[in-house]
Amino acid sequence: IVGASNLPLFYSSKIQEKVETEDIVSIGKANINQEQLIQLNTDVIFSYAIDAGGMKEVNHLRKLGQKVIVIAEYMEQKPLGKASWLKFFARFFDEKTIHQADSHYLKVSNDYHALEIKARSAELQPRVMIGYPWKGNWYVSGGLSFQAAYFNAANANYIWSNLKQEASVPLTTETVINDALDADYWVNCGNKQQLRAIVEGDERFKAFE
């Protein structure tokens, strides 16, 4: 890896070490510096495109002779579907790496299914809510999303499983409070790290069980 966008978002300590030594350079944030990217003389560029504008940028780089591969793991609606992209990336390395990736994926898959079977035997089926208001809307995962698949595998009762779509669904805060007042678990509550911070956002949230 010689360059990447949005470097501060990388969790890997190995990546951050190489950023500090400038072995990995920033190619921008929201907008990619295409000239700098081309100067890196890469063998391959992994990118993504969620709309026509994104594909236009990808196609422009391809016209300039760059080998761009579009990554679309975000479209996977099953957790193991996302995990399988490990095998995809391994194909760009040697046979040993491919074998390691395949073996690791098999272990992850087996562990996942074993936990799923264990969860099915649990008497408790907790009610789960998700999300936090953002710019006037409270976005919850659709009932066909990978988040909903996680909850289903864990034998949890996802409150909005009846929303039969893959994308997020915008709800009013009042609707969420009404639907999820007695939820047992609250998952992905934005960037809030403490109960105090959650309540500071809206005093009504004290009512959640």
PDB file of all heavy atoms in Angstrom, residues 71-106:
ATOM      1  N   ILE A  71     -14.588  -1.777  -5.640  1.00  0.00           N
ATOM      2  CA  ILE A  71     -14.930  -2.625  -4.502  1.00  0.00           C
ATOM      3  C   ILE A  71     -16.360  -2.315  -4.076  1.00  0.00           C
ATOM      4  O   ILE A  71     -16.725  -1.163  -3.899  1.00  0.00           O
ATOM      5  CB  ILE A  71     -13.958  -2.374  -3.321  1.00  0.00           C
ATOM      6  CG1 ILE A  71     -12.511  -2.548  -3.783  1.00  0.00           C
ATOM      7  CG2 ILE A  71     -14.272  -3.292  -2.156  1.00  0.00           C
ATOM      8  CD1 ILE A  71     -12.195  -3.903  -4.360  1.00  0.00           C
ATOM      9  N   ALA A  72     -17.167  -3.354  -3.895  1.00  0.00           N
ATOM     10  CA  ALA A  72     -18.585  -3.131  -3.583  1.00  0.00           C
ATOM     11  C   ALA A  72     -19.045  -3.992  -2.414  1.00  0.00           C
ATOM     12  O   ALA A  72     -20.163  -4.492  -2.399  1.00  0.00           O
ATOM     13  CB  ALA A  72     -19.431  -3.414  -4.817  1.00  0.00           C
ATOM     14  N   GLU A  73     -18.172  -4.171  -1.420  1.00  0.00           N
ATOM     15  CA  GLU A  73     -18.558  -5.001  -0.269  1.00  0.00           C
ATOM     16  C   GLU A  73     -19.714  -4.392   0.509  1.00  0.00           C
ATOM     17  O   GLU A  73     -20.470  -5.092   1.181  1.00  0.00           O
ATOM     18  CB  GLU A  73     -17.344  -5.254   0.635  1.00  0.00           C
ATOM     19  CG  GLU A  73     -17.234  -4.380   1.871  1.00  0.00           C
ATOM     20  CD  GLU A  73     -16.987  -2.917   1.542  1.00  0.00           C
ATOM     21  OE1 GLU A  73     -16.456  -2.612   0.460  1.00  0.00           O
ATOM     22  OE2 GLU A  73     -17.338  -2.062   2.368  1.00  0.00           O
ATOM     23  N   TYR A  74     -19.878  -3.063   0.381  1.00  0.00           N
ATOM     24  CA  TYR A  74     -20.963  -2.395   1.111  1.00  0.00           C
ATOM     25  C   TYR A  74     -22.345  -2.808   0.605  1.00  0.00           C
ATOM     26  O   TYR A  74     -23.362  -2.570   1.266  1.00  0.00           O
ATOM     27  CB  TYR A  74     -20.809  -0.874   1.013  1.00  0.00           C
ATOM     28  CG  TYR A  74     -20.960  -0.319  -0.385  1.00  0.00           C
ATOM     29  CD1 TYR A  74     -22.199   0.086  -0.852  1.00  0.00           C
ATOM     30  CD2 TYR A  74     -19.868  -0.217  -1.238  1.00  0.00           C
ATOM     31  CE1 TYR A  74     -22.356   0.581  -2.141  1.00  0.00           C
ATOM     32  CE2 TYR A  74     -20.003   0.265  -2.529  1.00  0.00           C
ATOM     33  CZ  TYR A  74     -21.248   0.664  -2.972  1.00  0.00           C
ATOM     34  OH  TYR A  74     -21.387   1.144  -4.251  1.00  0.00           O
ATOM     35  N   MET A  75     -22.396  -3.433  -0.563  1.00  0.00           N
ATOM     36  CA  MET A  75     -23.674  -3.867  -1.117  1.00  0.00           C
ATOM     37  C   MET A  75     -24.090  -5.252  -0.620  1.00  0.00           C
ATOM     38  O   MET A  75     -25.218  -5.694  -0.858  1.00  0.00           O
ATOM     39  CB  MET A  75     -23.612  -3.868  -2.649  1.00  0.00           C
ATOM     40  CG  MET A  75     -23.407  -2.492  -3.248  1.00  0.00           C
ATOM     41  SD  MET A  75     -23.407  -2.499  -5.049  1.00  0.00           S
ATOM     42  CE  MET A  75     -25.133  -2.877  -5.393  1.00  0.00           C
ATOM     43  N   GLU A  76     -23.173  -5.933   0.059  1.00  0.00           N
ATOM     44  CA  GLU A  76     -23.492  -7.262   0.587  1.00  0.00           C
ATOM     45  C   GLU A  76     -24.534  -7.139   1.693  1.00  0.00           C
ATOM     46  O   GLU A  76     -24.411  -6.312   2.585  1.00  0.00           O
ATOM     47  CB  GLU A  76     -22.232  -7.940   1.142  1.00  0.00           C
ATOM     48  CG  GLU A  76     -21.126  -8.149   0.128  1.00  0.00           C
ATOM     49  CD  GLU A  76     -21.420  -9.274  -0.854  1.00  0.00           C
ATOM     50  OE1 GLU A  76     -22.411 -10.007  -0.650  1.00  0.00           O
ATOM     51  OE2 GLU A  76     -20.650  -9.434  -1.820  1.00  0.00           O
ATOM     52  N   GLN A  77     -25.535  -7.992   1.654  1.00  0.00           N
ATOM     53  CA  GLN A  77     -26.603  -7.941   2.651  1.00  0.00           C
ATOM     54  C   GLN A  77     -26.489  -9.031   3.706  1.00  0.00           C
ATOM     55  O   GLN A  77     -27.333  -9.130   4.595  1.00  0.00           O
ATOM     56  CB  GLN A  77     -27.961  -8.032   1.947  1.00  0.00           C
ATOM     57  CG  GLN A  77     -28.222  -6.880   0.997  1.00  0.00           C
ATOM     58  CD  GLN A  77     -28.004  -5.525   1.647  1.00  0.00           C
ATOM     59  OE1 GLN A  77     -28.462  -5.281   2.765  1.00  0.00           O
ATOM     60  NE2 GLN A  77     -27.291  -4.641   0.972  1.00  0.00           N
ATOM     61  N   LYS A  78     -25.447  -9.845   3.620  1.00  0.00           N
ATOM     62  CA  LYS A  78     -25.199 -10.872   4.626  1.00  0.00           C
ATOM     63  C   LYS A  78     -23.802 -10.662   5.219  1.00  0.00           C
ATOM     64  O   LYS A  78     -22.848 -10.378   4.480  1.00  0.00           O
ATOM     65  CB  LYS A  78     -25.290 -12.277   4.014  1.00  0.00           C
ATOM     66  CG  LYS A  78     -26.655 -12.603   3.405  1.00  0.00           C
ATOM     67  CD  LYS A  78     -27.744 -12.662   4.467  1.00  0.00           C
ATOM     68  CE  LYS A  78     -29.083 -13.038   3.864  1.00  0.00           C
ATOM     69  NZ  LYS A  78     -30.179 -13.059   4.863  1.00  0.00           N
ATOM     70  N   PRO A  79     -23.668 -10.816   6.536  1.00  0.00           N
ATOM     71  CA  PRO A  79     -22.354 -10.623   7.164  1.00  0.00           C
ATOM     72  C   PRO A  79     -21.246 -11.481   6.545  1.00  0.00           C
ATOM     73  O   PRO A  79     -20.146 -10.991   6.313  1.00  0.00           O
ATOM     74  CB  PRO A  79     -22.616 -11.011   8.621  1.00  0.00           C
ATOM     75  CG  PRO A  79     -24.056 -10.680   8.833  1.00  0.00           C
ATOM     76  CD  PRO A  79     -24.730 -11.043   7.544  1.00  0.00           C
ATOM     77  N   LEU A  80     -21.540 -12.734   6.256  1.00  0.00           N
ATOM     78  CA  LEU A  80     -20.518 -13.593   5.663  1.00  0.00           C
ATOM     79  C   LEU A  80     -20.211 -13.182   4.229  1.00  0.00           C
ATOM     80  O   LEU A  80     -19.119 -13.449   3.719  1.00  0.00           O
ATOM     81  CB  LEU A  80     -20.948 -15.058   5.719  1.00  0.00           C
ATOM     82  CG  LEU A  80     -20.933 -15.684   7.121  1.00  0.00           C
ATOM     83  CD1 LEU A  80     -21.467 -17.109   7.069  1.00  0.00           C
ATOM     84  CD2 LEU A  80     -19.526 -15.666   7.711  1.00  0.00           C
ATOM     85  N   GLY A  81     -21.156 -12.526   3.585  1.00  0.00           N
ATOM     86  CA  GLY A  81     -20.894 -11.980   2.258  1.00  0.00           C
ATOM     87  C   GLY A  81     -19.831 -10.901   2.325  1.00  0.00           C
ATOM     88  O   GLY A  81     -18.947 -10.824   1.461  1.00  0.00           O
ATOM     89  N   LYS A  82     -19.901 -10.065   3.352  1.00  0.00           N
ATOM     90  CA  LYS A  82     -18.872  -9.043   3.548  1.00  0.00           C
ATOM     91  C   LYS A  82     -17.529  -9.699   3.848  1.00  0.00           C
ATOM     92  O   LYS A  82     -16.493  -9.302   3.321  1.00  0.00           O
ATOM     93  CB  LYS A  82     -19.268  -8.106   4.691  1.00  0.00           C
ATOM     94  CG  LYS A  82     -20.404  -7.156   4.339  1.00  0.00           C
ATOM     95  CD  LYS A  82     -20.698  -6.230   5.502  1.00  0.00           C
ATOM     96  CE  LYS A  82     -21.783  -5.223   5.138  1.00  0.00           C
ATOM     97  NZ  LYS A  82     -21.356  -4.237   4.129  1.00  0.00           N
ATOM     98  N   ALA A  83     -17.556 -10.721   4.713  1.00  0.00           N
ATOM     99  CA  ALA A  83     -16.307 -11.394   5.092  1.00  0.00           C
ATOM    100  C   ALA A  83     -15.630 -12.065   3.898  1.00  0.00           C
ATOM    101  O   ALA A  83     -14.403 -12.177   3.843  1.00  0.00           O
ATOM    102  CB  ALA A  83     -16.581 -12.426   6.183  1.00  0.00           C
ATOM    103  N   SER A  84     -16.423 -12.505   2.926  1.00  0.00           N
ATOM    104  CA  SER A  84     -15.865 -13.222   1.772  1.00  0.00           C
ATOM    105  C   SER A  84     -14.964 -12.347   0.911  1.00  0.00           C
ATOM    106  O   SER A  84     -14.181 -12.865   0.100  1.00  0.00           O
ATOM    107  CB  SER A  84     -16.996 -13.805   0.917  1.00  0.00           C
ATOM    108  OG  SER A  84     -17.720 -12.765   0.273  1.00  0.00           O
ATOM    109  N   TRP A  85     -15.049 -11.028   1.076  1.00  0.00           N
ATOM    110  CA  TRP A  85     -14.179 -10.149   0.296  1.00  0.00           C
ATOM    111  C   TRP A  85     -12.714 -10.318   0.687  1.00  0.00           C
ATOM    112  O   TRP A  85     -11.811  -9.918  -0.062  1.00  0.00           O
ATOM    113  CB  TRP A  85     -14.627  -8.695   0.439  1.00  0.00           C
ATOM    114  CG  TRP A  85     -15.807  -8.396  -0.433  1.00  0.00           C
ATOM    115  CD1 TRP A  85     -17.107  -8.728  -0.202  1.00  0.00           C
ATOM    116  CD2 TRP A  85     -15.784  -7.753  -1.710  1.00  0.00           C
ATOM    117  NE1 TRP A  85     -17.907  -8.313  -1.253  1.00  0.00           N
ATOM    118  CE2 TRP A  85     -17.122  -7.708  -2.187  1.00  0.00           C
ATOM    119  CE3 TRP A  85     -14.771  -7.192  -2.486  1.00  0.00           C
ATOM    120  CZ2 TRP A  85     -17.462  -7.136  -3.405  1.00  0.00           C
ATOM    121  CZ3 TRP A  85     -15.120  -6.615  -3.711  1.00  0.00           C
ATOM    122  CH2 TRP A  85     -16.443  -6.603  -4.155  1.00  0.00           C
ATOM    123  N   LEU A  86     -12.466 -10.915   1.837  1.00  0.00           N
ATOM    124  CA  LEU A  86     -11.089 -11.265   2.211  1.00  0.00           C
ATOM    125  C   LEU A  86     -10.490 -12.175   1.143  1.00  0.00           C
ATOM    126  O   LEU A  86      -9.330 -12.009   0.741  1.00  0.00           O
ATOM    127  CB  LEU A  86     -11.092 -11.971   3.572  1.00  0.00           C
ATOM    128  CG  LEU A  86      -9.755 -12.541   4.037  1.00  0.00           C
ATOM    129  CD1 LEU A  86      -8.787 -11.421   4.372  1.00  0.00           C
ATOM    130  CD2 LEU A  86      -9.956 -13.447   5.242  1.00  0.00           C
ATOM    131  N   LYS A  87     -11.286 -13.132   0.654  1.00  0.00           N
ATOM    132  CA  LYS A  87     -10.798 -14.052  -0.373  1.00  0.00           C
ATOM    133  C   LYS A  87     -10.545 -13.315  -1.689  1.00  0.00           C
ATOM    134  O   LYS A  87      -9.614 -13.648  -2.429  1.00  0.00           O
ATOM    135  CB  LYS A  87     -11.806 -15.180  -0.578  1.00  0.00           C
ATOM    136  CG  LYS A  87     -12.033 -16.042   0.662  1.00  0.00           C
ATOM    137  CD  LYS A  87     -12.789 -17.314   0.348  1.00  0.00           C
ATOM    138  CE  LYS A  87     -14.211 -17.057  -0.072  1.00  0.00           C
ATOM    139  NZ  LYS A  87     -14.948 -18.318  -0.335  1.00  0.00           N
ATOM    140  N   PHE A  88     -11.372 -12.319  -1.964  1.00  0.00           N
ATOM    141  CA  PHE A  88     -11.188 -11.521  -3.179  1.00  0.00           C
ATOM    142  C   PHE A  88      -9.833 -10.810  -3.164  1.00  0.00           C
ATOM    143  O   PHE A  88      -9.057 -10.878  -4.122  1.00  0.00           O
ATOM    144  CB  PHE A  88     -12.317 -10.504  -3.291  1.00  0.00           C
ATOM    145  CG  PHE A  88     -12.092  -9.427  -4.317  1.00  0.00           C
ATOM    146  CD1 PHE A  88     -12.363  -9.652  -5.654  1.00  0.00           C
ATOM    147  CD2 PHE A  88     -11.590  -8.188  -3.939  1.00  0.00           C
ATOM    148  CE1 PHE A  88     -12.152  -8.655  -6.600  1.00  0.00           C
ATOM    149  CE2 PHE A  88     -11.377  -7.198  -4.881  1.00  0.00           C
ATOM    150  CZ  PHE A  88     -11.656  -7.425  -6.215  1.00  0.00           C
ATOM    151  N   PHE A  89      -9.527 -10.124  -2.053  1.00  0.00           N
ATOM    152  CA  PHE A  89      -8.265  -9.384  -1.968  1.00  0.00           C
ATOM    153  C   PHE A  89      -7.059 -10.321  -2.020  1.00  0.00           C
ATOM    154  O   PHE A  89      -6.004  -9.974  -2.557  1.00  0.00           O
ATOM    155  CB  PHE A  89      -8.219  -8.540  -0.695  1.00  0.00           C
ATOM    156  CG  PHE A  89      -9.010  -7.267  -0.799  1.00  0.00           C
ATOM    157  CD1 PHE A  89     -10.206  -7.129  -0.121  1.00  0.00           C
ATOM    158  CD2 PHE A  89      -8.572  -6.203  -1.571  1.00  0.00           C
ATOM    159  CE1 PHE A  89     -10.952  -5.956  -0.209  1.00  0.00           C
ATOM    160  CE2 PHE A  89      -9.297  -5.031  -1.677  1.00  0.00           C
ATOM    161  CZ  PHE A  89     -10.500  -4.908  -0.992  1.00  0.00           C
ATOM    162  N   ALA A  90      -7.213 -11.524  -1.464  1.00  0.00           N
ATOM    163  CA  ALA A  90      -6.104 -12.475  -1.443  1.00  0.00           C
ATOM    164  C   ALA A  90      -5.675 -12.864  -2.843  1.00  0.00           C
ATOM    165  O   ALA A  90      -4.505 -13.207  -3.072  1.00  0.00           O
ATOM    166  CB  ALA A  90      -6.506 -13.718  -0.658  1.00  0.00           C
ATOM    167  N   ARG A  91      -6.592 -12.779  -3.807  1.00  0.00           N
ATOM    168  CA  ARG A  91      -6.288 -13.172  -5.190  1.00  0.00           C
ATOM    169  C   ARG A  91      -5.257 -12.249  -5.842  1.00  0.00           C
ATOM    170  O   ARG A  91      -4.729 -12.565  -6.905  1.00  0.00           O
ATOM    171  CB  ARG A  91      -7.562 -13.211  -6.033  1.00  0.00           C
ATOM    172  CG  ARG A  91      -8.227 -14.589  -6.117  1.00  0.00           C
ATOM    173  CD  ARG A  91      -8.587 -15.165  -4.786  1.00  0.00           C
ATOM    174  NE  ARG A  91      -9.041 -16.556  -4.895  1.00  0.00           N
ATOM    175  CZ  ARG A  91      -9.293 -17.328  -3.865  1.00  0.00           C
ATOM    176  NH1 ARG A  91      -9.119 -16.877  -2.634  1.00  0.00           N
ATOM    177  NH2 ARG A  91      -9.696 -18.573  -4.035  1.00  0.00           N
ATOM    178  N   PHE A  92      -4.964 -11.132  -5.206  1.00  0.00           N
ATOM    179  CA  PHE A  92      -3.959 -10.214  -5.757  1.00  0.00           C
ATOM    180  C   PHE A  92      -2.567 -10.507  -5.202  1.00  0.00           C
ATOM    181  O   PHE A  92      -1.619  -9.771  -5.475  1.00  0.00           O
ATOM    182  CB  PHE A  92      -4.360  -8.769  -5.462  1.00  0.00           C
ATOM    183  CG  PHE A  92      -5.583  -8.336  -6.214  1.00  0.00           C
ATOM    184  CD1 PHE A  92      -6.846  -8.554  -5.689  1.00  0.00           C
ATOM    185  CD2 PHE A  92      -5.473  -7.767  -7.471  1.00  0.00           C
ATOM    186  CE1 PHE A  92      -7.988  -8.181  -6.391  1.00  0.00           C
ATOM    187  CE2 PHE A  92      -6.610  -7.392  -8.183  1.00  0.00           C
ATOM    188  CZ  PHE A  92      -7.866  -7.601  -7.640  1.00  0.00           C
ATOM    189  N   PHE A  93      -2.465 -11.599  -4.411  1.00  0.00           N
ATOM    190  CA  PHE A  93      -1.180 -11.968  -3.830  1.00  0.00           C
ATOM    191  C   PHE A  93      -0.796 -13.371  -4.308  1.00  0.00           C
ATOM    192  O   PHE A  93      -1.232 -13.808  -5.367  1.00  0.00           O
ATOM    193  CB  PHE A  93      -1.265 -11.875  -2.303  1.00  0.00           C
ATOM    194  CG  PHE A  93      -1.504 -10.463  -1.822  1.00  0.00           C
ATOM    195  CD1 PHE A  93      -2.799  -9.980  -1.674  1.00  0.00           C
ATOM    196  CD2 PHE A  93      -0.435  -9.607  -1.556  1.00  0.00           C
ATOM    197  CE1 PHE A  93      -3.031  -8.673  -1.256  1.00  0.00           C
ATOM    198  CE2 PHE A  93      -0.656  -8.310  -1.140  1.00  0.00           C
ATOM    199  CZ  PHE A  93      -1.949  -7.838  -0.987  1.00  0.00           C
ATOM    200  N   ASP A  94       0.016 -14.080  -3.528  1.00  0.00           N
ATOM    201  CA  ASP A  94       0.500 -15.389  -3.973  1.00  0.00           C
ATOM    202  C   ASP A  94      -0.425 -16.515  -3.507  1.00  0.00           C
ATOM    203  O   ASP A  94      -1.403 -16.298  -2.796  1.00  0.00           O
ATOM    204  CB  ASP A  94       1.928 -15.625  -3.472  1.00  0.00           C
ATOM    205  CG  ASP A  94       2.048 -15.446  -1.959  1.00  0.00           C
ATOM    206  OD1 ASP A  94       1.019 -15.554  -1.266  1.00  0.00           O
ATOM    207  OD2 ASP A  94       3.165 -15.187  -1.479  1.00  0.00           O
ATOM    208  N   GLU A  95      -0.063 -17.742  -3.923  1.00  0.00           N
ATOM    209  CA  GLU A  95      -0.890 -18.907  -3.606  1.00  0.00           C
ATOM    210  C   GLU A  95      -0.996 -19.135  -2.098  1.00  0.00           C
ATOM    211  O   GLU A  95      -2.035 -19.549  -1.593  1.00  0.00           O
ATOM    212  CB  GLU A  95      -0.310 -20.157  -4.283  1.00  0.00           C
ATOM    213  CG  GLU A  95      -0.505 -20.208  -5.779  1.00  0.00           C
ATOM    214  CD  GLU A  95      -1.978 -20.331  -6.162  1.00  0.00           C
ATOM    215  OE1 GLU A  95      -2.734 -20.973  -5.404  1.00  0.00           O
ATOM    216  OE2 GLU A  95      -2.379 -19.778  -7.202  1.00  0.00           O
ATOM    217  N   LYS A  96       0.074 -18.862  -1.372  1.00  0.00           N
ATOM    218  CA  LYS A  96       0.063 -19.039   0.077  1.00  0.00           C
ATOM    219  C   LYS A  96      -0.972 -18.118   0.721  1.00  0.00           C
ATOM    220  O   LYS A  96      -1.735 -18.540   1.593  1.00  0.00           O
ATOM    221  CB  LYS A  96       1.451 -18.757   0.654  1.00  0.00           C
ATOM    222  CG  LYS A  96       1.527 -18.918   2.170  1.00  0.00           C
ATOM    223  CD  LYS A  96       2.926 -18.593   2.693  1.00  0.00           C
ATOM    224  CE  LYS A  96       2.966 -18.705   4.218  1.00  0.00           C
ATOM    225  NZ  LYS A  96       4.320 -18.357   4.749  1.00  0.00           N
ATOM    226  N   THR A  97      -1.008 -16.873   0.277  1.00  0.00           N
ATOM    227  CA  THR A  97      -1.964 -15.911   0.824  1.00  0.00           C
ATOM    228  C   THR A  97      -3.395 -16.315   0.490  1.00  0.00           C
ATOM    229  O   THR A  97      -4.299 -16.198   1.325  1.00  0.00           O
ATOM    230  CB  THR A  97      -1.687 -14.500   0.263  1.00  0.00           C
ATOM    231  OG1 THR A  97      -0.331 -14.147   0.543  1.00  0.00           O
ATOM    232  CG2 THR A  97      -2.608 -13.469   0.896  1.00  0.00           C
ATOM    233  N   ILE A  98      -3.595 -16.813  -0.728  1.00  0.00           N
ATOM    234  CA  ILE A  98      -4.930 -17.270  -1.132  1.00  0.00           C
ATOM    235  C   ILE A  98      -5.383 -18.412  -0.231  1.00  0.00           C
ATOM    236  O   ILE A  98      -6.526 -18.442   0.240  1.00  0.00           O
ATOM    237  CB  ILE A  98      -4.921 -17.713  -2.608  1.00  0.00           C
ATOM    238  CG1 ILE A  98      -4.700 -16.504  -3.521  1.00  0.00           C
ATOM    239  CG2 ILE A  98      -6.215 -18.444  -2.968  1.00  0.00           C
ATOM    240  CD1 ILE A  98      -4.498 -16.862  -4.978  1.00  0.00           C
ATOM    241  N   HIS A  99      -4.476 -19.368   0.030  1.00  0.00           N
ATOM    242  CA  HIS A  99      -4.807 -20.498   0.889  1.00  0.00           C
ATOM    243  C   HIS A  99      -5.123 -20.027   2.306  1.00  0.00           C
ATOM    244  O   HIS A  99      -6.086 -20.497   2.928  1.00  0.00           O
ATOM    245  CB  HIS A  99      -3.641 -21.492   0.906  1.00  0.00           C
ATOM    246  CG  HIS A  99      -3.861 -22.655   1.827  1.00  0.00           C
ATOM    247  ND1 HIS A  99      -4.768 -23.659   1.563  1.00  0.00           N
ATOM    248  CD2 HIS A  99      -3.303 -22.958   3.046  1.00  0.00           C
ATOM    249  CE1 HIS A  99      -4.757 -24.527   2.561  1.00  0.00           C
ATOM    250  NE2 HIS A  99      -3.888 -24.130   3.467  1.00  0.00           N
ATOM    251  N   GLN A 100      -4.328 -19.091   2.821  1.00  0.00           N
ATOM    252  CA  GLN A 100      -4.555 -18.568   4.171  1.00  0.00           C
ATOM    253  C   GLN A 100      -5.905 -17.869   4.269  1.00  0.00           C
ATOM    254  O   GLN A 100      -6.647 -18.036   5.244  1.00  0.00           O
ATOM    255  CB  GLN A 100      -3.438 -17.597   4.552  1.00  0.00           C
ATOM    256  CG  GLN A 100      -2.103 -18.268   4.829  1.00  0.00           C
ATOM    257  CD  GLN A 100      -0.992 -17.258   5.085  1.00  0.00           C
ATOM    258  OE1 GLN A 100      -1.026 -16.144   4.563  1.00  0.00           O
ATOM    259  NE2 GLN A 100      -0.017 -17.648   5.883  1.00  0.00           N
ATOM    260  N   ALA A 101      -6.226 -17.082   3.246  1.00  0.00           N
ATOM    261  CA  ALA A 101      -7.499 -16.354   3.238  1.00  0.00           C
ATOM    262  C   ALA A 101      -8.676 -17.320   3.183  1.00  0.00           C
ATOM    263  O   ALA A 101      -9.671 -17.148   3.906  1.00  0.00           O
ATOM    264  CB  ALA A 101      -7.550 -15.385   2.063  1.00  0.00           C
ATOM    265  N   ASP A 102      -8.583 -18.324   2.326  1.00  0.00           N
ATOM    266  CA  ASP A 102      -9.660 -19.304   2.213  1.00  0.00           C
ATOM    267  C   ASP A 102      -9.865 -20.050   3.534  1.00  0.00           C
ATOM    268  O   ASP A 102     -10.994 -20.277   3.968  1.00  0.00           O
ATOM    269  CB  ASP A 102      -9.357 -20.296   1.087  1.00  0.00           C
ATOM    270  CG  ASP A 102      -9.454 -19.668  -0.297  1.00  0.00           C
ATOM    271  OD1 ASP A 102      -9.970 -18.535  -0.394  1.00  0.00           O
ATOM    272  OD2 ASP A 102      -9.013 -20.310  -1.268  1.00  0.00           O
ATOM    273  N   SER A 103      -8.752 -20.418   4.167  1.00  0.00           N
ATOM    274  CA  SER A 103      -8.819 -21.139   5.444  1.00  0.00           C
ATOM    275  C   SER A 103      -9.415 -20.247   6.535  1.00  0.00           C
ATOM    276  O   SER A 103     -10.233 -20.698   7.341  1.00  0.00           O
ATOM    277  CB  SER A 103      -7.421 -21.619   5.870  1.00  0.00           C
ATOM    278  OG  SER A 103      -6.904 -22.532   4.936  1.00  0.00           O
ATOM    279  N   HIS A 104      -8.994 -18.984   6.546  1.00  0.00           N
ATOM    280  CA  HIS A 104      -9.492 -18.058   7.559  1.00  0.00           C
ATOM    281  C   HIS A 104     -10.988 -17.811   7.365  1.00  0.00           C
ATOM    282  O   HIS A 104     -11.750 -17.783   8.344  1.00  0.00           O
ATOM    283  CB  HIS A 104      -8.726 -16.734   7.494  1.00  0.00           C
ATOM    284  CG  HIS A 104      -9.111 -15.778   8.584  1.00  0.00           C
ATOM    285  ND1 HIS A 104      -8.786 -15.990   9.898  1.00  0.00           N
ATOM    286  CD2 HIS A 104      -9.806 -14.611   8.552  1.00  0.00           C
ATOM    287  CE1 HIS A 104      -9.261 -14.991  10.643  1.00  0.00           C
ATOM    288  NE2 HIS A 104      -9.886 -14.150   9.840  1.00  0.00           N
ATOM    289  N   TYR A 105     -11.397 -17.648   6.123  1.00  0.00           N
ATOM    290  CA  TYR A 105     -12.825 -17.438   5.864  1.00  0.00           C
ATOM    291  C   TYR A 105     -13.636 -18.651   6.302  1.00  0.00           C
ATOM    292  O   TYR A 105     -14.717 -18.504   6.888  1.00  0.00           O
ATOM    293  CB  TYR A 105     -13.082 -17.151   4.386  1.00  0.00           C
ATOM    294  CG  TYR A 105     -14.564 -17.090   4.086  1.00  0.00           C
ATOM    295  CD1 TYR A 105     -15.307 -15.948   4.390  1.00  0.00           C
ATOM    296  CD2 TYR A 105     -15.233 -18.191   3.546  1.00  0.00           C
ATOM    297  CE1 TYR A 105     -16.670 -15.895   4.149  1.00  0.00           C
ATOM    298  CE2 TYR A 105     -16.602 -18.139   3.312  1.00  0.00           C
ATOM    299  CZ  TYR A 105     -17.306 -16.988   3.621  1.00  0.00           C
ATOM    300  OH  TYR A 105     -18.655 -16.950   3.398  1.00  0.00           O
ATOM    301  N   LEU A 106     -13.136 -19.838   6.041  1.00  0.00           N
ATOM    302  CA  LEU A 106     -13.839 -21.054   6.440  1.00  0.00           C
ATOM    303  C   LEU A 106     -14.012 -21.105   7.950  1.00  0.00           C
ATOM    304  O   LEU A 106     -15.084 -21.462   8.452  1.00  0.00           O
ATOM    305  CB  LEU A 106     -13.077 -22.291   5.949  1.00  0.00           C
ATOM    306  CG  LEU A 106     -13.729 -23.640   6.259  1.00  0.00           C
ATOM    307  CD1 LEU A 106     -15.104 -23.736   5.588  1.00  0.00           C
ATOM    308  CD2 LEU A 106     -12.825 -24.778   5.791  1.00  0.00           C
TER     309      LEU A 106
END
